[in-house]
Amino acid sequence: MDKLFLIISREFLIRVKKKSFIFLTLLTPIFFASLMILPTAIMMMSEGEKGQKIIISDKSGVTEGFFADNEEFIWSYDNDTPVDDLKKTFSGMGFIALVDISSPDSLFNVSVSAYSSKQLNVDAIEAIEKGVEDAIEKKKLQRYNIENLNEIIKDLNTNVSVKTFTLDKEGGEKRSMVEIYMVIAYVASLLIYMFIFMFGSMVMRGVIEEKTTRIIEVIVSSVKPFELMLGKILGVGSVALLQFTIWILLSVGIVSVAQTFLGEDSLASTAQMTQTIAGSQVTDLDNVTMAISEDSTPFQEIMSALGSVNFVEVILSFLAYFILGYLLYAALFAAVGSAVDNEADTQQLVLPVTLPLIIGLFLMMHTFQHPGSSLSFWGSMIPFTSPMVMMARIPFGDVPLWELALSLALLLGTFLFMTYVSAKIYRVGILMYGKKPSWKEIIKWLKY
């Protein structure tokens, strides 16, 4: 045990003293916090330019009254001067755009062209489109000669917002928001995938480095190869836990400070925008905006929905799946590292190790939408994909305890078995030089 502890301490201290570790540890929380703070800061600073003048030449004669002056835009009409003449004098008129609206066709549709010295901004284009659309739409409806048309249109406008609640066994209800569960599941699953891949690769590179410099030959003269491999895995795992803890504390600290300056409601709006986009998977900007405005809920409702999440279960499950998932894959990465002489030779051998991780990532995407499906169930039971897929199910709160226990037991059993197999490969591989082994040779190493 003393030798194992020495190896763990050596691996831990070597890595935490590196400048790259300190740099990455400090920079990553700033990056994560920026993802939450920057959208709010940008929105607060992105007020449109005030007093932009736009001149309209309307041949349809129906849009007047639909372009109201406001702080951002001031509208003017000139239907008497030909558009070509307006273009010639446009640069000296003080307008940012000249809008040419054609005469209506047989279906009362019009074409609209906008001319400007510089590229017209999106807000101006949207304002022009909305004004013309409203005018043409109203004109078309008037052709049906329906009385009280405006009142009928207002009466028809209906917004339906579904509030979801979860019921406990006694019938008590809790406010729930599926988008919040999806965001938590997405973040937790993606972090596990990133950490397993990042720190597993770190173990592999460490083995290759020591093998290349022949340090490993000196070390194995004093300790068993299995102790060396286990010490390296646990040492890097300790670094991962330390780095993860620092990231969480710094991220929470930075966001808390930003919340003080920007206000809770601003950050809540950003969080709501993020979870709405993630939840609806809407790609069209207009639909995203509509989804946000229609489902807009105050900060207290988001906090109420967050209160329905069992964070103790989420955090404990995250730690359990991260540790076991890392140990499983780190053992495999260590075996791959021991079988090669340099990092370039790992491509062929590392593919079977990374392929289950990538499959788990795809299953994770499916689980966000269908956490109770058969595919999600089996993905959360298979040890090579369960760390990502189970973490995508847990925030939804519908994972029975026996499924969680069985999944962890299978993951633990697979880790012990794969560690035994990897140790056999590692024992032979660290002393093999000069030849890239084939799969057939690696299988032979298992019999030694």
Side-chain angles (χ1 to χ4, degrees), residues 6-293:
L6 284 174
I7 296 170
I8 294 173
S9 302
R10 174 180 174 274
E11 294 295 331
F12 180 82
L13 292 174
I14 284 176
R15 282 165 175 78
V16 298
K17 289 180 179 177
K18 286 184 176 178
K19 290 182 180 177
S20 58
F21 173 83
I22 299 171
F23 181 74
L24 191 64
T25 302
L26 296 177
L27 195 64
T28 302
I30 297 173
F31 172 74
F32 283 133
S34 299
L35 292 179
M36 294 189 66
I37 298 168
L38 275 181
T40 302
I42 291 172
M43 281 192 294
M44 293 177 70
M45 294 186 294
S46 62
E47 294 181 358
E49 187 180 343
K50 296 180 180 178
Q52 301 176 84
K53 295 180 180 178
I54 298 178
I55 184 169
I56 300 173
S57 175
D58 183 11
K59 299 182 183 67
S60 69
V62 298
T63 65
E64 208 154 343
F66 286 88
F67 290 97
D69 293 345
N70 52 34
E71 286 189 359
E72 195 169 4
F73 299 109
I74 298 173
W75 307 90
S76 301
Y77 277 87
D78 188 344
N79 299 330
D80 300 326
T81 309
V83 172
D84 289 338
D85 293 341
L86 289 174
K87 289 179 186 176
K88 293 176 183 175
T89 57
F90 177 76
S91 59
M93 295 170 67
F95 295 100
I96 66 161
L98 164 63
V99 179
D100 179 21
I101 303 173
S102 70
S103 300
D105 59 17
S106 59
L107 298 176
F108 216 88
N109 293 317
V110 298
S111 63
V112 182
S113 302
Y115 305 92
S116 58
S117 303
K118 299 178 181 177
Q119 177 59 49
L120 207 55
N121 60 65
V122 175
D123 289 344
I125 294 173
E126 288 180 349
I128 295 167
E129 289 175 343
K130 186 176 187 311
V132 176
E133 284 174 359
D134 289 347
I136 298 299
E137 185 178 285
K138 184 174 182 180
K139 192 66 180 178
K140 286 182 176 179
L141 287 171
Q142 284 176 344
R143 293 189 299 178
Y144 293 94
N145 294 322
I146 302 173
E147 294 184 2
N148 302 321
L149 184 61
N150 291 332
E151 287 74 11
I152 293 173
I153 292 173
K154 287 181 181 177
D155 189 51
L156 286 175
N157 286 331
T158 306
N159 293 319
V160 177
S161 177
V162 178
K163 290 185 176 181
T164 59
F165 298 86
T166 54
L167 298 175
D168 56 25
K169 292 180 180 178
E170 288 75 29
E173 62 183 45
K174 280 185 177 179
R175 182 77 169 94
S176 63
M177 294 175 72
V178 67
E179 294 86 355
I180 286 181
Y181 302 152
M182 293 179 74
V183 170
I184 295 173
Y186 181 81
V187 172
S189 302
L190 194 63
L191 283 177
I192 282 190
Y193 169 80
M194 289 171 55
F195 289 164
I196 287 177
F197 194 84
M198 185 168 67
F199 291 106
S201 301
M202 190 182 292
V203 171
M204 183 181 70
R205 287 195 297 272
V207 173
I208 294 173
E209 184 180 343
E210 289 181 350
K211 187 178 175 182
T212 305
T213 56
R214 304 265 177 164
I215 293 176
I216 206 163
E217 295 177 12
V218 178
I219 299 175
V220 293
S221 64
S222 303
V223 298
K224 295 178 181 178
F226 177 74
E227 289 179 325
L228 178 59
M229 186 188 80
L230 194 60
K232 187 176 289 293
I233 291 172
L234 294 178
V236 175
S238 303
V239 175
L241 286 177
L242 173 66
Q243 198 167 41
F244 179 72
T245 305
I246 294 173
W247 283 347
I248 293 294
L249 293 176
L250 284 180
S251 297
V252 171
I254 293 171
V255 172
S256 299
V257 171
Q259 201 173 35
T260 304
F261 287 100
L262 298 176
E264 290 183 346
D265 292 338
S266 298
L267 287 182
S269 299
T270 304
Q272 188 178 350
M273 179 183 290
T274 305
Q275 51 100 349
T276 303
I277 293 170
S280 59
Q281 293 188 347
V282 180
T283 55
D284 183 77
L285 187 60
D286 291 337
N287 291 339
V288 172
T289 306
M290 288 174 63
I292 292 170
S293 60

